[in-house]
Amino acid sequence: MKKFRKVLDGLTTSSPGGTMGSPSCGSAAGTPTAAPTPKDIDVQETLVSENFQLCKTVRHGFTYQPTALAFDPVQKILAIGSRSGGVRILGRPGVDCYCQHESGAAVLQLQFLINEGALVTACADDTLHLWNLRQRRPAVLHSLKFNRERITFCHLPFQSKWLYVGTERGNTHIVNIESFILSGYVIMWNKAIELSTKTHPGPVVHLSDSPKDEGKLLIGFEGGTIVQWDLRAKKADFRIYYDEAIHSVSWHHEGKQFMCSHSDGSLTLWNPRNTTKPFQVTFPHGKIQKDGRKESCKPILKVEYKTSRNSEPFVIFSGGLSYDKAGRRPALTIMHGKAITVLEMDYPIVEFMVLCDTPYINEIQEPYAVVVLLEKDLIVVDLTQSNFPVFENPYPMDIHESPVTCTAYFADCPPDIIPILYSIGAKHKKTGYSQKEWPIAGGTWTLGSHTYPEIIITGHADGSIKFWDASAFTLQMLYKLKTSKVFEKPKLGEGRGADLGEEDPFAVQMVSWCPHSRIFCVVGISAHIILYRFSKYDANTQTVSLEVRLQCEPEDIITPSENENNPCFSEPGSHSPQPHHQNPVSPGSRTPDGAKDSTPFLKVKDKMVRVPPGYQSDLVIQLLWVDGEPPQQITSLDINSAYGLLAFGNCNGLAVVDYIQKTVILCISTVDLYGATDPYQRLTRSPRRNRQSTSGLTELTDNQQSIDMERSKSPTSVKGPGRKLSLPTDLKTDLDHVNGHCTSPTSQPCSAGKPRIPMGPEGPRLTRRGPGRPPFRKAQSAACMEISLPVSHTEGHASRRAMLQQLHGVTMYSHDEHHSTASYCWNERESRENSFSRSRSSSVSSIDRDTKEAITTLQFGESYGRKSDALPTPCLWVGTSLGVVILIPLSIPMDHEERLEDPVTVGPSGAVQMLKGSVLRFAFLDCNGALIQSPYEIWRDQNAPEDPDRPRRRKLVHFSPSSSQDAFGEGHLTVVCSERQAKVFLMPSQSCLFVHNITESSFVLRADVVSLCNSVCLACFCANGHVMTLSLPSLRPLMDVNYLPLTDMRIARTFCFTNEGQALYLSSPTEIQRITYSQEMCDNLQEMLGELFTPIETPEAQNRGFLKGFFGGNAHTFDREELFGEAAAGKASRSLAQHIPGQGGVEGMKVAASGVVGDLARARVALDERGQRLGELEERTTLMMTSAETFSKHAHELMLKCKDKKWYQF
């Protein structure tokens, strides 16, 4: 113990410069350095590189930009293709697989090999792919690239190995599915049509077998020509020429007639025996006008003609509506007998497919449902009920119901939270669904052994919040919360929408949730915060509203004070923002736009309302307009239920709210966080020049030379006095000698009832500039709105290479080193090329806009506010966009009654540390390397009936740094991660133990300290696509994978890590992609995913009867191998198509699918096949024995009859 205290004393006396990036603790990129490391803190790090592997797990949501649809009627699985080359395969809940074509070409058509566990995809790059579905992760077995023709339509007959492929030129090719090689048999367009035809028939839009004879192929051309081709005779049976373009064709199951849909909105019914004209033409939605003409209608894009045993046939089609009725939504029409039902859809119809009981096209179809693929939804209609209800979709297809603006991911949640949220959310579910089970029920899925409660929270543009159960690689919505209900509905021409053109004033910007206390906090884009409490009872409540002024007035240009020994004293009223209820209007704030001063964007409902069980609003905090300028968006938030405090900040300052007493206890500008004794003159600007738009969510940037420029540029080596914490006017009392300097003489006495704040000890001296640097502009947060490269107002130009070196941190400036006096002038073009704009609005990315130091991250926790503290106390850690870390101690009454009445006080602190780049994340470890959780309050229902024997009292759970380390005494480790650097500090000495430069050429977008394998690590996601993990506390690199380049701001806004080695992001506007960086989870991934293919016996064909078999053609004697095989048809031209084997080939796929389940399934299939063959053999043997016995009997009778006859009697 004594030895350890001596080490701490030695660390305490280390120079402040050594903790701020000087050579004593700096390091090259990728090399952690310890300077100095206490030998007695010997943390046994258990994580090694072998514990990490990055891979995708599952994808949730609706397929973005869908293009194609297919269904296997035996396996009962559904496939959806997309414009980006993705294929989504769905079965029963839990069976959900995503595949991606490497080319990224759009999927034009999908064809299942029915009950074979395979899928054929036709892509826009004229390539066919064969996917093996007999494994949990499907893979491509073969590919066939067409070189001279474009694919337009494919058809694969049931139980056939020959695929018909129609092309844009009108030709039809045939592909062997087993070898994926073209047959020499080709149906050329000029042979299919008559020689007298003068025009090209157009691309092939339809191919199908005749139900009466598989040797007859019906070919539909876009121009209106239909040909039935006799495959054996290699000639056309009949040709139909129609005036209107054809979109689709559908057969009657008997093969006696077929139906076509056309571009004029008509349906034609044809008899193959009489093809001179259709025997029926209908315009389902074309009414006859007064002048006798038909209404012009939209094209019918697809029609399906399905028969039913006990009712009239179904004719189902999409499109065909009248042009005259404007504003009508897309519709699916169901014609059943004389009844016509029009189902209007919310989005355009991409494709639909009728689900039938039988896979055989020559049997009565018996349709029972229709799957409708819309642009942004998937619905299934029940055809067995007369009102055609919709099935309740078990898949999370409505993630994008309103655009997702933020996400949060919580693994290993309290086990009781999911059932409670589900029970509350189930009361608000929609009704009117079909009572039958979901028809897409293929595949198998079991709950894996590595499961734990997981919850995903999504925030949306309309202000709604959705809680999802994400356990075991599934996603089910638990509960939906609408934050817009807290506010009055904005009137047209008023509020945010009128001022800034914001369409979504309630959009959610970030969320903070404590699963233990069930406190939930939402930050909105209109500079508002809503705090919710959970209750199982409904209640009559009135939401309390707090209005806060968080604007600052100082000039962004910083110049040295003329006399550093006489620092300028700032006006508290001009530097420190004030709560609205304490200082509603500041002097000089009357402007021509003064009507908007001291008003928030939105109006909170001020009446008593009845709220249902669930999350109920308790407090609303809104930032106000000041001097005609809108408040800046909130960039950071933290809430602690044990303290009862909520802290938030933006690029103007910081505010702390006591949500128990509903009061603002701190409201201060970022500049005043350092203290009123600022050594730099900040010129007052009046009037304000630039308005900053607040449209857009939290923006991010790639330019982080601001901290290096700011820390290293000054004309002379100035060592300014230590900074102190400057509090709002009503809290500045008796701070006579904070950090050895007097407070502002303009400080006002405190408000009534407010206690005095004790003065703090002297803090470390902070040098804001290095020698030989000109004045500079303060750079705004990289985690805030935008960042622009600094514009130097001095003469001189440097090379582009030198500028890039400084921008990317190749040449780093230390606070203690002297540098040359070279200045840099950045033009606007180079700024745009080298900066990464994170703004959704171009109005906030101007190079000339003044920027401010923003609060980028906040964290409550038990820590040591001063070096001399013996015990940890509640503290607030503050991180800024300039890489500055400030520690603010708090004094919170712990007694229940005192907490409700006595105010929380804030004390000044001298603890200031620095990192490169905006600060992103704080975390605390004990000296054993274990993660210290933030204290929290155990949830209690405030609306529950009161029990006089058990009064309600707050139950708090604290995790003190000293409680788990008696062997080491007091102290803990603080992990701080910024956009470019990570540091570990030892508290209370505030000494830097470890430093790691995470990246020099990019910047970190998201960083989190996560639990993994009973240990902790720091996980980072960079803008260049790298996902990295670092050990703690030594910051040793464990994994660095170039995974996902940042191509969309949506990824940056929604990427988040969680415990147990998982992460997620929005891969498209409609889909959530989950990934894992845990080797253990990658090893168990096959077990946790569902099986797409299950061995099912193919249903037997119905007995057609003697007469139907005799007169119905010779379909069963048709042998495609004789016609299409190489022996009969020869080889196709090599230049026509190129065969590309799959990555693993057939053998590789067999090895990849050689798990226990796969082996059992194959063994079962083999046994079934063997049993079937044995059964057939036994039947044949029995028939032979019967035949032999009959022959023997007849021979014996004949012998007896002829035994006594003479030769001449025959």
Side-chain angles (χ1 to χ4, degrees), residues 8 864 925-927 932 961-962 965 969-973 986-988:
L8 290 181
Y864 301 85
L925 310 177
D926 62 21
C927 291
I932 303 174
S962 60
Q965 49 190 28
E970 297 85 2
H972 71 88
L973 304 176
L986 178 63
M987 303 299 291

Side-chain angles (χ1 to χ4, degrees), residues 6 14 31 288 321 486 830 1094 1198:
K6 288 180 181 179
S14 62
T31 306
I288 300 177
L321 297 178
V486 176
E830 289 177 331
T1094 54
L1198 183 62

Side-chain angles (χ1 to χ4, degrees), residues 519-838:
I519 294 288
F520 186 59
C521 209
V522 179
V523 176
I525 198 172
S526 297
H528 65 270
I529 301 173
I530 311 175
L531 186 142
Y532 290 89
R533 293 179 182 269
F534 187 83
S535 176
K536 295 189 291 184
Y537 304 91
D538 54 359
N540 292 318
T541 62
Q542 182 175 1
T543 304
V544 179
S545 176
L546 284 179
E547 296 177 347
V548 179
R549 295 168 63 95
L550 199 55
Q551 297 283 74
C552 61
E553 297 284 346
E555 174 59 56
D556 291 331
I557 302 294
I558 303 175
T559 58
S561 58
E562 297 179 359
N563 186 353
E564 65 176 79
N565 296 324
N566 297 312
C568 63
F569 295 98
S570 59
E571 178 87 21
S574 63
H575 279 213
S576 300
Q578 303 296 326
H580 172 57
H581 63 278
Q582 296 172 357
N583 187 12
V585 181
S586 61
S589 65
R590 294 298 178 186
T591 64
D593 200 19
K596 294 188 180 301
D597 285 353
S598 304
T599 59
F601 279 123
L602 304 171
K603 183 179 179 182
V604 180
K605 293 180 180 178
D606 55 359
K607 58 183 179 180
M608 189 77 68
V609 293
R610 187 79 174 176
V611 290
Y615 274 104
Q616 302 167 353
S617 60
D618 185 63
L619 176 65
V620 176
I621 304 168
Q622 291 182 282
L623 300 185
L624 303 176
W625 288 66
V626 177
D627 295 345
E629 287 197 10
Q632 299 297 319
Q633 292 179 5
I634 296 168
T635 58
S636 57
L637 170 76
D638 192 39
I639 186 170
N640 189 280
S641 58
Y643 302 160
L645 299 180
L646 181 151
F648 64 93
N650 61 9
C651 59
N652 286 332
L654 166 71
V656 181
V657 174
D658 183 346
Y659 67 79
I660 295 179
Q661 299 184 21
K662 308 294 190 298
T663 59
V664 180
I665 64 173
L666 179 66
C667 185
I668 188 170
S669 66
T670 313
V671 174
D672 286 340
L673 279 174
Y674 299 106
T677 56
D678 193 344
Y680 311 111
Q681 181 75 33
R682 300 179 191 273
L683 302 176
T684 306
R685 56 174 183 173
S686 179
R688 297 186 181 216
R689 295 190 306 273
N690 301 313
R691 289 193 182 185
Q692 189 164 357
S693 171
T694 56
S695 63
L697 296 175
T698 305
E699 284 97 1
L700 308 164
T701 87
D702 189 13
N703 177 14
Q704 189 46 50
Q705 53 55 267
S706 57
I707 179 169
D708 304 325
M709 298 281 287
E710 179 167 356
R711 306 292 189 269
S712 58
K713 292 186 178 181
S714 70
T716 58
S717 179
V718 179
K719 291 214 170 182
R723 294 186 179 272
K724 74 175 186 66
L725 176 66
S726 178
L727 301 178
T729 307
D730 60 331
L731 294 180
K732 283 185 173 182
T733 58
D734 292 349
L735 295 179
D736 297 316
H737 295 86
V738 176
N739 293 340
H741 297 282
C742 295
T743 56
S744 170
T746 59
S747 296
Q748 302 175 2
C750 64
S751 303
K754 297 290 180 181
R756 299 182 171 224
I757 309 299
M759 67 176 180
E762 182 174 348
R765 299 171 68 84
L766 178 63
T767 303
R768 292 282 286 177
R769 296 181 187 167
R773 296 296 168 193
F776 61 92
R777 293 179 182 266
K778 292 179 64 180
Q780 191 180 359
S781 161
C784 180
M785 303 302 148
E786 46 87 15
I787 198 163
S788 12
L789 302 180
V791 180
S792 176
H793 295 277
T794 58
E795 299 179 357
H797 299 272
S799 67
R800 181 180 178 86
R801 177 178 297 179
M803 288 185 279
L804 289 175
Q805 283 180 345
Q806 185 175 8
L807 170 65
H808 297 308
V810 177
T811 304
M812 304 308 301
Y813 293 101
S814 168
H815 302 288
D816 300 330
E817 293 180 356
H818 293 265
H819 303 283
S820 63
T821 59
S823 60
Y824 301 100
C825 182
W826 300 71
N827 61 43
E828 186 169 354
R829 180 185 176 193
E830 289 177 331
S831 169
R832 290 173 180 172
E833 291 176 355
N834 294 291
S835 66
F836 184 93
S837 175
R838 305 180 187 183

